[in-house]
Amino acid sequence: LNEEGGIDVEQFRVESIYDRVNTTGTAFLGLTVGCAQCHNHKYDPLTQHEYFQMFALLNQDDESTLELATLEQKEKRRRIEGERKELLRIFRPLDRLTDADVLAWQGKLSPEMRSALPREISHLLDIAENGRDERQKAQLLAFVRNLDKVRHAVGGMMSSPWLSLAHFHLHQTRDRIERRLAQLRAEEPDIPKTLVLAARKETRPTCIHIGGDFTRQGKPVEPGVPSWLLDMGPVRSRLDFARWLVHPGHPLTPRVIVNRLWQHHFGLGLVETENDFGTQGIPPSHPELLDWLAAEFVQSGWSVKHMHRLMLTSATYRQSSKMRPELNSVDPRNRLLARMSRWRLEAEVVRDIALVASGLLNSRIGGPSNFPPQPEGVFRFTQVPRVWTADLGPNRYRRGMYTHFWRSAPHPALAAFDAPDGVNPCTRRNRSNTPLQALTLLNDSAFVELAGTFARQLQEATLTDEEKCVRAFQRCLCRPPTPAELQILIGLYRDSKNDWLPVTRALMNLDEFITRE
């Protein structure tokens, strides 16, 4: 039995496979396969039996952690673990401090004492005792052992609850061992890890879940796929499943993918219901074009780069976005593509164009996530305290797609501009227009920093004020200003007592700045 609020391990595992089946159906098939989890699909010819055949394909693996260690790292860790084990054997009889002592100390802390704690220790105390991992528990133990030093560092603000646990006498050997243990922790190799799916040696049986309830086992099923989509013989493994999805004759996968690429560049897909190619979806506006693009995609070796280049260099893409009165009544939603669509840029790209305008964009491709600036205190409302330390140097200015993303606490600028939450598959992003977006562009520390860099560049340029205004306008909007727009900019500059920062902030806050047309 689980404690109250605990997690049923098997339920968590089954829910994960539900999510994989449903996400696979959305991402590659463009079908609402999740509807068949509890019963036969109401509209499409997908049965619950077929749903759990796909479930069975993904039910034969376990999630394992794979260490990517070199031989040298393995040998060094083996040596360190051996020495640590021997030191701990000697140390434990000398160490009378326990986790219970730490909890007792924590319970005696007054608000004044708590305010004097180092920030990282305060964060650890915000985590429930049963939620701390071994590293966090060890950090707290080490902190309490050294309370005498902390007491002096904070100017003697600590009173008896601190001293009662700090003043215990241990043999001199303990101090030497502690120093060596700390040294070993610093020397321990940082070995990267990754989650992988490892095939089980023994087959895990799969049954239909009656009503979608994993505790109500129904008829057993064998691994398989909906043969009415494509029959390529037995599909018994995850590898077979992958090959079935990208079979050249598959009727859905290439169409679903090129439709999503089209939607990315043109605002709407040729099939407007990009997540539903079933009977309840909207038929394609240009079916022959969709078929041709799907065939081209397969023949190119499934090259996404080729399809992007093909669409971007087309005459359709290179049309003007200007509205034409004669089209308003004939095609108000531009489904016939007589002009180019116009819409606000995606969340990650909004900051990218500000980076380009400021001249700070780091165009490096690949590598670990980066940590751009964000407002102070945004993690105070999360369940688990987090520490966000903004990068310094070139990593600070990498593209938005590399921004570190926590599902429970996404970067606020990304959330403001409708970035997906990372919890559910998202086939089409919302495009809202809110005051918070304007406030973010105008006042967010990251955008103010970029506008300030841009302003300094203008200040240092050997140009007239008018020429600087023209350059700023062109850098931000990719076009020269009209005479009226130029006079407004010059007036803003002079009203600001010859300060370029209000000019760059205003330009980088325009609707046209964050709009693709």
Side-chain angles (χ1 to χ4, degrees):
L1 296 176
N2 294 311
E3 297 180 5
E4 183 178 358
I7 296 174
D8 186 305
V9 176
E10 178 63 11
Q11 181 181 8
F12 182 81
R13 190 190 69 81
V14 170
E15 294 285 352
S16 297
I17 301 178
Y18 284 153
D19 180 64
R20 290 169 193 164
V21 175
N22 300 344
T23 301
T24 299
T26 300
F28 296 103
L29 303 177
L31 295 176
T32 54
V33 299
C35 296
Q37 177 179 323
C38 304
H39 48 72
N40 292 343
H41 202 290
K42 296 293 186 182
Y43 305 104
D44 299 333
L46 180 69
T47 65
Q48 190 183 23
H49 182 271
E50 289 170 325
Y51 178 92
F52 280 97
Q53 282 186 302
M54 291 188 286
F55 184 100
L57 288 167
L58 304 180
N59 197 29
Q60 306 308 320
D61 303 282
D62 290 326
E63 291 188 22
S64 302
T65 300
L66 178 66
E67 286 191 339
L68 307 175
T70 64
L71 292 177
E72 292 79 9
Q73 287 175 323
K74 289 180 180 179
E75 174 59 27
K76 185 175 183 180
R77 183 176 60 181
R78 186 196 63 75
R79 178 183 59 79
I80 289 175
E81 287 179 347
E83 184 177 351
R84 181 190 291 121
K85 184 176 180 180
E86 178 62 19
L87 289 172
L88 289 175
R89 184 186 66 79
I90 301 171
F91 180 77
R92 286 192 181 98
L94 305 175
D95 184 14
R96 300 200 300 267
L97 190 64
T98 67
D99 290 338
D101 293 328
V102 174
L103 286 177
W105 161 76
Q106 180 179 342
K108 295 177 181 179
L109 290 176
S110 66
E112 293 77 13
M113 296 175 186
R114 181 69 181 268
S115 65
L117 288 172
R119 185 177 179 183
E120 61 274 14
I121 298 301
S122 182
H123 277 307
L124 292 179
L125 295 181
D126 286 333
I127 302 173
E129 187 274 334
N130 61 358
R132 296 171 190 155
D133 59 28
E134 293 304 317
R135 182 189 61 80
Q136 293 166 335
K137 291 178 181 178
Q139 188 176 355
L140 277 176
L141 279 169
F143 175 76
V144 175
R145 287 193 193 101
N146 292 281
L147 284 176
D148 275 335
K149 298 177 184 178
V150 175
R151 177 168 57 88
H152 293 302
V154 297
M157 292 178 62
M158 312 309 175
S159 57
S160 57
W162 298 75
L163 302 177
S164 61
L165 290 174
H167 287 177
F168 53 87
H169 300 288
L170 296 176
H171 192 272
Q172 191 175 13
T173 306
R174 190 205 70 174
D175 295 328
R176 187 175 69 252
I177 292 175
E178 278 189 319
R179 288 194 296 272
R180 180 55 182 160
L181 286 172
Q183 185 179 1
L184 290 176
R185 281 195 296 270
E187 294 176 358
E188 193 167 9
D190 184 12
I191 299 175
K193 299 180 178 65
T194 185
L195 282 175
V196 296
L197 285 177
R200 292 171 55 87
K201 295 180 179 179
E202 297 181 2
T203 302
R204 180 186 279 125
T206 300
C207 298
I208 292 176
H209 299 167
I210 300 173
D213 183 352
F214 81 103
T215 64
R216 301 172 62 198
Q217 301 288 309
K219 184 186 300 184
V221 297
E222 294 295 325
V225 292
S227 58
W228 49 270
L229 273 174
L230 173 65
D231 188 357
M232 57 169 274
V235 176
R236 299 295 183 220
S237 67
R238 190 157 47 92
L239 179 59
D240 290 339
F241 191 18
R243 288 170 174 161
W244 178 80
L245 285 170
V246 295
H247 189 281
H250 201 292
L252 285 180
T253 306
R255 288 175 173 82
V256 168
I257 294 176
V258 298
N259 187 69
R260 197 169 294 128
L261 299 179
W262 187 275
Q263 174 185 269
H264 174 75
H265 292 302
F266 293 90
L268 286 176
L270 297 170
V271 177
E272 187 172 342
T273 51
E274 79 295 330
N275 62 343
D276 190 357
F277 275 55
T279 59
Q280 296 300 295
I282 298 176
S285 58
H286 301 73
E288 295 86 358
L289 175 59
L290 181 63
D291 291 346
W292 183 84
L293 289 171
E296 179 71 16
F297 185 37
V298 174
Q299 291 170 11
S300 71
W302 300 81
S303 172
V304 174
K305 182 177 289 187
H306 170 74
M307 299 309 296
H308 280 305
R309 183 181 294 112
L310 186 65
M311 294 177 189
L312 288 170
T313 56
S314 68
T316 306
Y317 182 86
R318 290 181 287 135
Q319 294 181 108
S320 169
S321 301
K322 188 176 181 180
M323 293 286 292
R324 305 210 313 262
E326 68 272 18
L327 294 177
N328 289 344
S329 58
V330 178
D331 186 23
R333 299 185 65 235
N334 196 35
R335 297 301 287 135
L336 299 180
L337 300 169
R339 59 175 176 83
M340 192 54 189
S341 300
R342 180 182 186 274
W343 62 82
R344 197 207 70 221
L345 295 169
E346 295 169 320
E348 297 85 352
V349 184
V350 168
R351 181 167 172 271
D352 289 353
I353 60 172
L355 286 167
V356 172
S358 69
L360 291 174
L361 177 67
N362 176 3
S363 57
R364 176 189 169 212
I365 296 175
S369 299
N370 74 317
F371 293 81
Q374 64 172 315
E376 183 68 27
V378 295
F379 293 126
R380 291 174 186 164
F381 308 102
T382 59
Q383 292 181 340
V384 179
R386 301 183 187 278
V387 177
W388 181 284
T389 303
D391 286 329
L392 300 175
N395 278 343
R396 187 182 183 95
Y397 307 115
R398 299 192 69 201
R399 293 171 59 193
M401 66 177 293
Y402 297 113
T403 299
H404 189 85
F405 196 99
W406 279 308
R407 287 183 175 184
S408 61
H411 193 285
L414 294 180
F417 287 97
D418 306 313
D421 57 16
V423 177
N424 300 302
C426 175
T427 56
R428 186 196 306 179
R429 298 190 180 195
N430 294 326
R431 288 197 183 95
S432 64
N433 190 354
T434 68
L436 183 58
Q437 294 167 357
L439 291 172
T440 299
L441 291 174
L442 192 62
N443 299 318
D444 185 277
S445 58
F447 287 93
V448 171
E449 176 188 4
L450 300 179
T453 299
F454 191 8
R456 286 192 296 274
Q457 294 170 1
L458 292 173
Q459 187 70 40
E460 295 167 0
T462 54
L463 301 170
T464 66
D465 292 346
E466 182 174 319
E467 290 171 334
K468 291 179 181 181
C469 286
V470 171
R471 172 177 289 187
F473 195 96
Q474 289 178 322
R475 285 260 298 263
C476 289
L477 305 181
C478 300
R479 67 176 178 85
T482 65
E485 290 169 334
L486 181 57
Q487 290 306 310
I488 292 174
L489 276 187
I490 294 174
L492 176 60
Y493 171 66
R494 290 172 179 167
D495 290 344
S496 305
K497 298 181 180 179
N498 298 340
D499 183 358
W500 285 104
L501 182 58
V503 174
T504 55
R505 290 179 71 190
L507 287 171
M508 295 169 72
N509 196 46
L510 292 175
D511 178 68
E512 187 175 345
F513 181 70
I514 60 171
T515 301
R516 198 225 66 176
E517 59 179 336

